[in-house]
Structure formats: structure tokens, C-alpha cells
Amino acid sequence: MTRRLVVDVENSVTKPSSGGVDNRPYNSNNELVSIGVVDIDTGQVSYVCVYHEEKAPDLAGLKMVKELIEGADLLVGHNIKYDLQWIWAVGIRYSGNIHDTMTTEYILHRGIRKGLSLGAICEDRDLDTKKSDITKEYWDRGVGYEAMPWDVVKEYGIADVLSTRELYLKQIEDLKGTSLQKTVDLTNEMCMCLSEIEKSGMYIDMDVLDQVEFDYRVEKKALERRLKFLVNTYMGDTPVNLSSPEQLSSMIFSRSPKDKKRHKEFFQLDRSFRPSVSASKFKAYLSSGCTIVTRTESNVCNNCRGNGKVLRVKRDGNPYKSANICGECGGDGVVYRSTGQIGGFKINPPDSQWATTNGFSTDKQRLRILASQLRAKSPDMYSDAIEFLEKVERLGAIETYLSSFVEGIRKRAIPSRSTVIGGSTSVDRMYTLYAEFNQCRTATGRLSSSKPNMQNMPRGGTFPVKKAFVSRFGDHGMLMEFDFAQLEFRAAAYLSNDTVAKEEIDTGFDVHTYTANFLTKMGQSTSRQEAKSRTFAPLYGAMNGSPAEKAYNIHFIEKYSGIKDWHKSLQDSAIRTKSIVLPTGRVFSFPDAKRNRNGGATGATKIKNYPVQSFATADIVPLCLVNLREAMRWRGLNSSIVNTVHDSVLLDCMEDEVSVIKRILEVEFSTESIRQMIEDFYGFDMNVPLSIDTKKGDNWLNMS
């Protein structure tokens, strides 16, 4: 008889000095407090204590629960990836079928954002087994599960497993008669794969990370010195906070809005779809609606004599105890007086779409566009402006790399035990990074990750942080990565049946070089590498950009007329049926889609974007990943899958197994094998070839 169980765990947590909460089983300060299971078919509940400050561990109960779980045919949980990490940590072995009620509910929402906590879902579905959170008053006082009264923990935990059981049974009913079953099945298989990836972790060489951080900080100081010099040269003594979009805008464009409220109304900045302002009206507004920024010189404030504060005197002549901020200088101690010379770089914002609440756009993509335009126009005349824009962008990138990746890795990495292979040990200062992968954060089903965000790491071989990622097997291992070539474009070629796109894929046409040449011809000098971010932007409905990029957007849609027609049919479907169904069976709902005055649909960007991104990275990549997991398990390999980023997969390989894994990828992930894999699982012929590129190396950066 098939045994189906619901499982739920409670555990203690720690609060690191860096802030936040660490609830992972890999932190030795955390303990598993309890495990609860319920038999889905009989409703029988078992709830055991593993660790509690006032109750002895139930060793006999734990042994019974271990036997139940290890003998189960299906394990159900709400965010079961979390429960699996903890039961594995206490020696319970399970690698069979799972059903995650959280990800299943997410799929049943069909792309519409709703709360996914167990409590929120039970409330939304009007399920009556979920108790009110009786633990809240204890958490508010900083009391964890290990110190709450055991009766409270048990009542809360039993309510959770019963609620999850009821939710599972409702979901099984809801899936009947829909096309979503394949999506749910694959998502659950992918959930198990991600659970194992998180458990494996990624090995970090801290000595290398130290050096990367040092190099970044040296570069950061040099950038700050040079930017400070340029600020003083073009703004005089006016201080400019480079982290302030408003101050940065005023320096770059040499103007600021006279009236922010009028500025917002003129450009209709509160609308999701902003109509363009004609070139003549925009030019007139720059003259009448903006104040020209001037250079300044600073002098010591006469009112406070440079102190920034002034003492008020009472009527009786005695001073007040505390000083007030000086009204003349605002507490700076200096006053800035205009020299009458125009400050900043005197650059006109290209068009009305650059308008923002506090001036004009200074986001990194816009800065890149502006630098490219100035270089094409007159590189000598605008050399300082170009340097400033590029260095501001680089400074922002380095600050992100330091905070999100270097510091993010340090906060989450845990010292590793030495790995002994053939008599030698791995790197001494080896740490393990246990990142978290999220299947329910994006609307499209594409993975996201956190702590740190591995999905947001710059691609390619230009990101030094990747050098710190090494093999756990030391000198007896290496990292291997494979990624799909132009996956989303190929997905779009199939979904749209575009003949030009299919022909280019078949002939190996270099679309990125084509894009670079087109943009360069239109006056925006662009390398092949730089063009990669623009090549497929129109695929997702992009219409804005520099004049050259706008021309490319139009050209792309004209060139790929099949994609253009497909975009139209997607919008028609969203308006007519309020939904879009992919060949895989995944469904996206667009309940508010309406025909707009341009003939398209409201929310057109999402309607165009969701199918491509989802089909490629939420349906195809996970299918390949779970098949790779199965192929490695079947062969009993010790190598591990340790990361996946959109359309790529990273493996940590034992030296002796590299040739085996390479053979798996060559044979089971050949173009024909992937095509057969998709047909076997989904039942349709993926007649656009998909191919992977493989590389390996001693670290994640230096791979070939």
C-alpha cells in the first residue's frame, strides 16, 4: 500500500551579530526542536520532541518517525525544501517523491501574486484546521520553540501538519481537469534537486575572497578620489553625494526642476504607461521648468562661525542648554555662493522618458547609454563627462559587489571540515556557502536565490568573486559548468514559429555581432559583448532606449515578423480568454487585460515576457537538471550539482569522475537527446535545436 505522509519541523534559530535570523541546520548553534508527521490516508498524527529545554528527547518516537519517513512513498510539506534540510541533518534519509504545497499553490495561482505562507493560503481557501498563531506572543518576547511551553509547540506543530494535509487534498482536486499537472510534477522534482543543491553548498576559499575584497576596496578609493576631483572641477565647492540620484542628475544635466510637483505632473510620472512628450515641448520645458545649476564657492558661515550650531539666549540673557542648527548654513558651517558659471557637464537629457521624480534618470543603464552617445558625438569634447559616467557606474557596481557578494558570502559561509582525498586535505581556509533557492518569488517560475543572490551575479569571466568558488575536493577536483546557447531566443523561435529566427539558429548566425554592427551604424559605437544586453530586449517588449536602440527595437520586430505576429496573438489571447497556456501546460492569468488605444493589450510587456522566460528557464532548464541529477545518482557519483543560474548549471566534480560527467553531458544532453527528453515528458516536438556549452576549471572564474 502506498504511504503518503505530511512532514513539518520546528527548530531553534540564532540571531547573528550581522543582523537577521539564521535558521539553517548547518549552523551548529541551531537545534531541531520537533518533527511532526501525519498519514494522509488515515489521518494518524505523530509528533515527537527532538530537543527542548524543559522536555527530554523522545528517542523512541524519533526512531518511529524516522522509519515512517524513510518508508514513505510520498512526502508532503509546505516549503518542504526547508523540512528536508532539517530531517537530513538528524540522519533521516529520504530521496523519494515529494509534493510541496507552497510551490503547487504558486502554480495554481497562474502567475498572480498572492500570499504563500500556510496561514495566508488557509485563510484564502477558508480551511479551518490552521490554528491562529499561538506562538506569536512568545516570538514577540524573543522566546524560540526550544523555550516555549512544550504543549504550545505541540499544538502549533500538529495544526501545521493537519492544515498541510487538508491543503494537499484540496490541491489534488484542483489540479484535476487542468493542464498544470506536468508543471507541478516537474516543480516538485526540481524542489528535491534544489534541496540537495542547498545541502551540498558551494566551497569558498576565504584567502582568495580576502584578496578580491582588498582589490575592490583599492579600486573604490581610487574611483572616489578621481570622481571627487571631477566634482570639484565642474561644480566648484558644491558637495555632490554620488549615491543621491537627485544630486547626480543636477551635475550631469546641469539643471534641476524648479517645482517638483509640476515636474511630476508635466511628465505624468505617476502613470505606469507614460505618454511621450514631443521634442519641442520637452525642449521648452528644459528652459522654463528647470533651474540651471551653477558652480559655487564656499565661505565660513558668519552666523555660526563655522560651528554649524548657534546658541539661543533667553530673555534674561542666559543661553539655552542646547544649541540649535544654524539657519544660515543648515548645520554645514559653510555657505555656498554662486560664481555665476554653469556647473556640471551641460548635457541635455535625450527625451522625456528620462524624466524622474527628482530630475532626470541616472540609473546604470541610462548612464551607459549616455556615455555611448557622447562618445559617438564627440569623444574629445566630452572626455571628462564620459569618464565621470563610466566611473560612477563602476563605483556603483563595486559597492554592490562588496555588499551583496563579498559581505553577503562572509555572512552566510560556514567553516568547512577538511576533505581528505588520497591522503591530502583540501584548502585550509575553506568555507561552505549555503545559498537559498526560491521557486515562488518570480511571476514566471524562473528561479531566484537569496543570501546571497546568486542569480544576480555578473555573467562571464570578468567577475573576480567567482575565483573564490573552488572544488570541495581540493587538488583532486574541479568545477564544471554548462549553459544553454541563446536559450530564450530559441524558445521564442519555437513558440512563435519564426522562420528567420529558425534559419539563423540552424546556420549559426552571430546575432550579437549583427546587433553591435547595427547600433554602431546608427551612431552608437557598440562591441559584441556590449550588444548582448540589447540583442533580445525587444523580445520582451522593450521599446525605450537611446535613438540607436529605439531604431534597433523597431528593426528587430520587422526582421522577426513571426515573433511580431506571435506577440499580437499573445495579447489577443490575454484579452479574449484572460490567460495564456504554454505548450508545457503552464498557465498565466491576465484577468485585467484590456485592449488599449494602440490596439495592443494593457500589461503587454508581461504578456510578451512571461511565456519566453518561463518556457526556457522554468520548464526546459529544470527538466534537464532533474534528468542530470537522476543520471548522476544512477551511476553513484560523488560529484555534486552545486548551483544553477538561469540557463546554466555548476557542478563540483571529483577528478576521477570528470570524464564520466563529461560523457553524460555529451550523450544525454546532445541536441537530439534534449529534444527527445522534452517530447517524452511534455509530449511535443521541440523542433528548434537546443545545445549546451561546457567548460571546467580549478575555480568558477578561470574556466575553459
Side-chain angles (χ1 to χ4, degrees), residues 30 65 71 75 79 94 96 115 145 177 212 221 225 236 289 348 386 417 482 489 496 524 567 575 600 613 653 677 703:
N30 294 336
V65 165
L75 209 57
N79 189 19
Y94 185 83
Y145 290 118
V212 170
K221 287 292 184 184
R225 285 194 297 269
N348 286 329
I386 293 168
R417 296 173 182 173
F482 74 85
F489 181 56
S496 66
Q524 182 173 314
H567 280 171
I575 293 167
Q613 190 178 104
C653 305
M677 188 189 303
M703 306 183 88

Side-chain angles (χ1 to χ4, degrees), residues 262-276:
R262 178 175 175 253
H263 182 81
K264 183 178 179 180
E265 291 173 349
F266 182 83
F267 293 109
Q268 301 184 52
L269 297 177
D270 56 348
R271 294 184 56 175
S272 56
F273 176 77
R274 289 166 45 192
S276 297

Side-chain angles (χ1 to χ4, degrees), residues 50-94:
V50 181
Y51 167 80
H52 193 271
E53 291 180 359
E54 298 177 356
K55 182 176 174 60
D58 183 356
L59 298 180
L62 180 58
K63 181 181 178 183
M64 177 194 68
V65 165
K66 180 178 187 293
E67 291 173 353
L68 285 173
I69 292 174
E70 292 183 343
D73 299 289
L74 175 70
L75 209 57
V76 177
H78 196 77
N79 189 19
I80 196 170
K81 182 158 57 68
Y82 183 82
D83 300 294
L84 286 169
Q85 305 292 313
W86 273 103
I87 66 173
W88 287 338
V90 295
I92 299 176
R93 300 289 172 251
Y94 185 83

Side-chain angles (χ1 to χ4, degrees), residues 6 8 35-39 43-48 61 64-65 68 154 158 161:
V6 170
D8 182 64
I35 303 177
V37 297
V38 59
D39 189 303
Q44 184 175 349
V45 178
S46 301
Y47 202 83
V48 300
M64 177 194 68
V65 165
L68 285 173
K154 184 175 181 180
I158 290 175
V161 292

Side-chain angles (χ1 to χ4, degrees), residues 47 73 110 218 227 249 285 330 332 353 375 379 456 471 520 587 601 668 670:
Y47 202 83
D73 299 289
R110 296 164 170 82
V218 169
L227 287 168
S249 171
Y285 175 83
D332 291 338
Q353 294 298 314
R375 188 177 288 106
N456 204 31
S471 173
T520 301
V587 181
E668 300 191 29
S670 66

Side-chain angles (χ1 to χ4, degrees), residues 232-524:
N232 291 339
T233 301
Y234 285 87
M235 296 294 286
D237 292 337
T238 303
V240 174
N241 179 0
L242 298 176
S243 298
S244 166
E246 182 175 3
Q247 294 182 30
L248 200 55
S249 171
S250 67
M251 177 173 173
I252 293 170
F253 302 108
S254 299
R255 52 173 57 82
S256 59
K258 288 180 180 178
D259 184 330
K260 288 185 179 179
K261 183 178 179 182
R262 178 175 175 253
H263 182 81
K264 183 178 179 180
E265 291 173 349
F266 182 83
F267 293 109
Q268 301 184 52
L269 297 177
D270 56 348
R271 294 184 56 175
S272 56
F273 176 77
R274 289 166 45 192
S276 297
V277 176
S278 68
S280 59
K281 287 184 178 180
F282 181 59
K283 184 178 180 181
Y285 175 83
L286 294 180
S287 298
S288 64
C290 294
T291 300
I292 298 299
V293 172
T294 60
R295 302 185 194 191
T296 64
E297 57 182 21
S298 61
N299 300 101
V300 174
C301 177
N302 292 326
N303 189 46
C304 67
R305 300 181 182 275
N307 291 322
K309 293 184 177 181
V310 292
L311 283 172
R312 291 187 303 152
V313 180
K314 300 178 182 178
R315 290 182 179 180
D316 61 5
N318 293 317
Y320 284 93
K321 289 183 179 180
S322 58
N324 283 1
I325 293 176
C326 176
E328 291 290 323
C329 66
D332 291 338
V334 295
V335 291
Y336 299 94
R337 295 186 172 84
S338 172
T339 64
Q341 296 176 299
I342 297 176
F345 293 114
K346 308 172 191 174
I347 300 168
N348 286 329
D351 57 48
S352 63
Q353 294 298 314
W354 284 62
T356 60
T357 304
N358 294 314
F360 300 94
S361 181
T362 59
D363 69 53
K364 62 181 181 180
Q365 184 177 357
R366 298 279 190 173
L367 295 184
R368 199 176 299 127
I369 290 171
L370 200 58
S372 179
Q373 289 178 334
L374 296 178
R375 188 177 288 106
K377 187 175 181 180
S378 180
D380 294 333
M381 180 184 299
Y382 294 106
S383 59
D384 284 352
I386 293 168
E387 181 188 3
F388 181 82
L389 295 172
E390 291 176 343
K391 281 184 165 51
V392 164
E393 184 189 353
R394 178 61 179 169
L395 178 62
I398 288 177
E399 288 173 343
T400 298
Y401 299 159
L402 285 169
S403 61
S404 296
F405 295 109
V406 174
E407 293 172 21
I409 290 170
R410 290 193 190 284
K411 287 179 182 178
R412 298 289 292 183
I414 295 175
S416 306
R417 296 173 182 173
S418 296
T419 303
V420 180
I421 304 283
S424 64
T425 59
S426 57
V427 182
D428 291 336
R429 289 196 68 215
M430 190 80 81
Y431 282 62
T432 306
L433 174 65
Y434 299 99
E436 296 179 11
F437 293 85
N438 314 302
Q439 292 177 283
C440 306
R441 295 280 176 86
T442 68
T444 62
R446 169 184 271 191
L447 282 180
S448 66
S449 63
S450 53
K451 301 176 184 180
N453 184 356
M454 303 300 294
Q455 308 294 303
N456 204 31
M457 188 175 282
R459 300 290 297 270
T462 59
F463 188 49
V465 172
K466 285 186 173 181
K467 192 174 182 179
F469 289 77
V470 296
S471 173
R472 72 196 63 219
F473 305 113
D475 294 337
H476 297 272
M478 64 175 54
L479 298 183
M480 182 181 293
E481 183 178 35
F482 74 85
D483 61 358
F484 287 84
Q486 301 173 351
L487 178 60
E488 293 189 1
F489 181 56
R490 294 175 187 233
Y494 171 77
L495 292 170
S496 66
N497 197 29
D498 188 288
T499 55
V500 174
K502 285 184 173 183
E503 182 181 352
E504 289 182 350
I505 292 166
D506 287 338
T507 59
F509 182 77
D510 190 339
V511 290
H512 298 308
T513 297
Y514 180 88
T515 305
N517 291 340
F518 183 94
L519 292 172
T520 301
K521 184 179 178 181
M522 297 302 294
Q524 182 173 314

